[in-house]
Amino acid sequence: MADKFYFEPYKIEQLQASYDVAIIGAGGAGLTAALQAVELGLKPVVFEKMERLGGNTNRASSGMNASETSVQLKHGVIDDFKDFYQETYVGGGKLNDPKLLEYFASHTSQAIAWLQEQGIRLDDLTITGAMSKPRTHRPASTAPIGAFMITNLLKQLQQKQVAIFNQTKVIELMMDDAKQKICGIKLEDADQKIHQVEVKAVILASGGFGASQELMNKYRPDLAHYKTTNHEGATGDGLALATALGAQLRDMDLIQIHPTVQQDNPHVYLIGEAVRGEGAILINQDAKRFVNELATRKIVSNAISALEQKSAYLIFGEEVFKRVQALAFYAHIGLVIQAQSISQLAKQINVDATKLENTLTTWNQAVDSNNDSQFGRTTGLRVIKQAPYYAIHIAPAIHYTMGGIHADQYTRVLDENGTPIAGLYAAGEVVGGLHGNNRIGGNSIAETVVFGRQAAIQVARYLQN
Ligand code: ADP
């Protein structure tokens, strides 16, 4: 059903001379902001530089973290947003901006309810690394969250006739003559024609810079050789647009490497954390587990990078396969190795069969006794006892940029003195600080919805004054 929907982007001839607010980027943060803005009676416009709408959000797989939700209660999960705060804080090396994190953790439940009002239901739960409870909300079908969210947000935006232009790149933000507030933007269309539009406010929702070789060389030359999971538009344009107006950047060297990325083909595929969350283990070339698979992404990535091969295998059974819809797609395109016995699987992935048998026996005992004495894993425990057995070859890759624009919990972009730049707001991956030095799986989609909404609400407030 979702696949058949097609959003027809606006034609450049339909561009009007003025709007209340320009939203830069049609990913999760931008589309959420647009929907919230139109609900608040504003006239938004969204500009997306790529042909395809959805940005990196399209690629998100596991789900959206939230705590104290009605969905959790229906699943018998009693949660406390203070625990969500604390676990995210510890997982982020205690480098998270406490004010951003406080607003985030305490507003995810509202975000889930708001999505429900829009008919966007995330009724199933899974778990990601460093979380003590199932908080990762996803569609009942277990479909990957990103494309599901983008499609459904676009449906709502189409109904509400919100103007969304693709292949339209924002190249400059304009301040009024007294340089006191945002008054317009300049953009370049698909024919490289420049247009100028009057706006009272701007929401930067232009995503991160995980696909920018230039910025990677500048901030983390040691990572420049890694492949990236990002779409090619993730080049950090928003950072340049904002710093041209004096905005402050923060934490630019904090880059997340995702541990489980299939990269044996020209196209790189991220194998979502839900696969481990539902029960997969990781083994090295000696057929042994080597880490708590649901430790933070930072810990798991470091453990894989420390292996001689710098890669590992995810191993799982049929139950996991059924609990993560994306796996059927990965199998379809040939990324999943399948076997009818452990020895057959061992042969296919070139590890010792007896050692693999032993590893699985030990793992199954750990699950049955609820005690992983080897690595202390406490979540995502599921036995791997029955054929078919599955394996996916993975290695770490650049995934997410934790640094970015310095904005406050009201999404106001701050200048070098910490003063808000009037009329300039930012939400989503373009903003730095929420995740500390390690983003928790499922927190990025949550960030786009919580702060995408917040940006639109704060713009409405700004325009009331
Ligand atoms: P988030 O998860 O924060 O919403 P995404 O990566 O999903 O981030 O979306 C950001 C979107 O912004 C991408 O689709 C990207 O192509 C778009 N974008 C980046 N720079 C510009 C720009 N200069 N003009 C218009 N769109 C942009």
Side-chain angles (χ1 to χ4, degrees), residues 9-10 51 78 132 179 262 285 291 297 301 361 380 398 437 456:
Y10 277 49
E51 186 177 356
I78 315 282
S132 65
K179 294 215 181 300
Q262 217 296 337
Q285 210 55 47
V291 68
R297 289 176 171 180
S301 290
T361 306
I398 289 171
N437 69 6

Side-chain angles (χ1 to χ4, degrees), residues 100-407:
L100 291 184
L101 183 53
E102 159 87 41
Y103 185 84
F104 170 75
S106 58
H107 284 77
T108 48
S109 173
Q110 283 183 30
I112 291 283
W114 180 79
L115 287 171
Q116 260 178 24
E117 282 169 29
Q118 314 295 332
I120 305 177
R121 300 193 65 94
L122 302 175
D123 288 334
D124 193 51
L125 285 180
T126 186
I127 194 165
T128 58
M131 297 283 100
S132 65
K133 290 200 166 74
R135 299 193 170 110
T136 311
H137 294 61
R138 59 180 183 171
S141 66
T142 80
I145 185 87
F148 176 86
M149 287 276 280
I150 295 297
T151 304
N152 284 290
L153 287 168
L154 286 173
K155 276 185 190 169
Q156 296 300 320
L157 290 161
Q158 190 176 56
Q159 265 179 26
K160 296 188 166 64
Q161 300 180 341
V162 174
I164 304 180
F165 294 85
N166 67 345
Q167 294 182 285
T168 311
K169 182 176 172 179
V170 176
I171 53 171
E172 194 183 324
L173 308 181
M174 291 150 63
M175 301 285 271
D176 66 9
D177 284 343
K179 294 215 181 300
Q180 278 171 351
K181 57 179 198 283
I182 289 282
C183 67
I185 57 167
K186 275 190 195 154
L187 41 100
E188 187 182 292
D189 70 18
D191 299 322
Q192 273 134 31
K193 273 206 356 235
I194 309 294
H195 304 258
Q196 203 164 307
V197 180
E198 228 175 79
V199 294
K200 298 176 197 138
V202 163
I203 298 174
L204 282 163
S206 48
F209 60 96
S212 167
Q213 197 69 46
E214 190 189 329
L215 293 180
M216 217 45 75
N217 284 336
K218 177 169 176 188
Y219 292 105
R220 286 297 299 272
D222 58 314
L223 302 181
H225 65 283
Y226 276 101
K227 290 189 178 174
T228 180
T229 63
N230 286 205
H231 84 122
E232 62 177 300
T235 48
D237 299 14
L239 308 174
L241 291 169
T243 48
L245 301 187
Q248 194 183 117
L249 303 183
R250 63 186 294 179
D251 306 335
M252 290 295 287
D253 59 336
L254 300 182
I255 313 284
Q256 178 165 75
I257 305 295
H258 194 290
T260 58
V261 180
Q262 217 296 337
Q263 41 192 288
D264 299 333
N265 305 296
H267 194 92
V268 162
Y269 290 93
L270 184 141
I271 310 300
E273 202 152 318
V275 176
R276 281 169 288 143
E278 292 297 337
I281 59 168
L282 281 167
I283 62 158
N284 59 20
Q285 210 55 47
D286 203 24
K288 292 194 175 123
R289 288 178 67 216
F290 54 92
V291 68
N292 170 358
E293 294 85 351
L294 283 169
T296 61
R297 289 176 171 180
K298 196 179 173 67
I299 292 172
V300 181
S301 290
N302 286 346
I304 299 170
S305 296
L307 298 173
E308 198 190 322
Q309 289 74 15
K310 304 198 180 309
S311 67
Y313 280 97
L314 279 164
I315 305 286
F316 51 95
E318 187 67 9
E319 272 283 293
V320 172
F321 194 90
K322 284 198 190 124
R323 294 274 307 149
V324 184
Q325 201 194 61
L327 285 171
F329 169 70
Y330 297 142
H332 178 71
I333 58 171
L335 305 183
V336 183
I337 298 154
Q338 182 180 345
Q340 286 310 318
S341 68
I342 297 173
S343 59
Q344 229 185 56
L345 189 75
K347 204 167 158 193
Q348 292 197 63
I349 63 174
N350 206 18
V351 300
D352 184 272
T354 315
K355 285 183 178 166
L356 183 57
E357 296 257 9
N358 289 342
T359 296
L360 291 184
T361 306
T362 311
W363 168 248
N364 291 335
Q365 281 163 358
V367 174
D368 288 337
S369 63
N370 205 6
N371 177 20
D372 173 24
S373 56
Q374 276 187 303
F375 297 103
R377 176 165 163 184
T378 54
T379 54
L381 304 179
R382 180 166 272 138
V383 291
I384 308 173
K385 264 189 187 157
Q386 266 178 355
Y389 298 94
Y390 298 94
I392 304 179
H393 187 223
I394 54 84
I398 289 171
H399 183 51
Y400 191 87
T401 49
M402 270 87 62
I405 290 172
H406 192 179

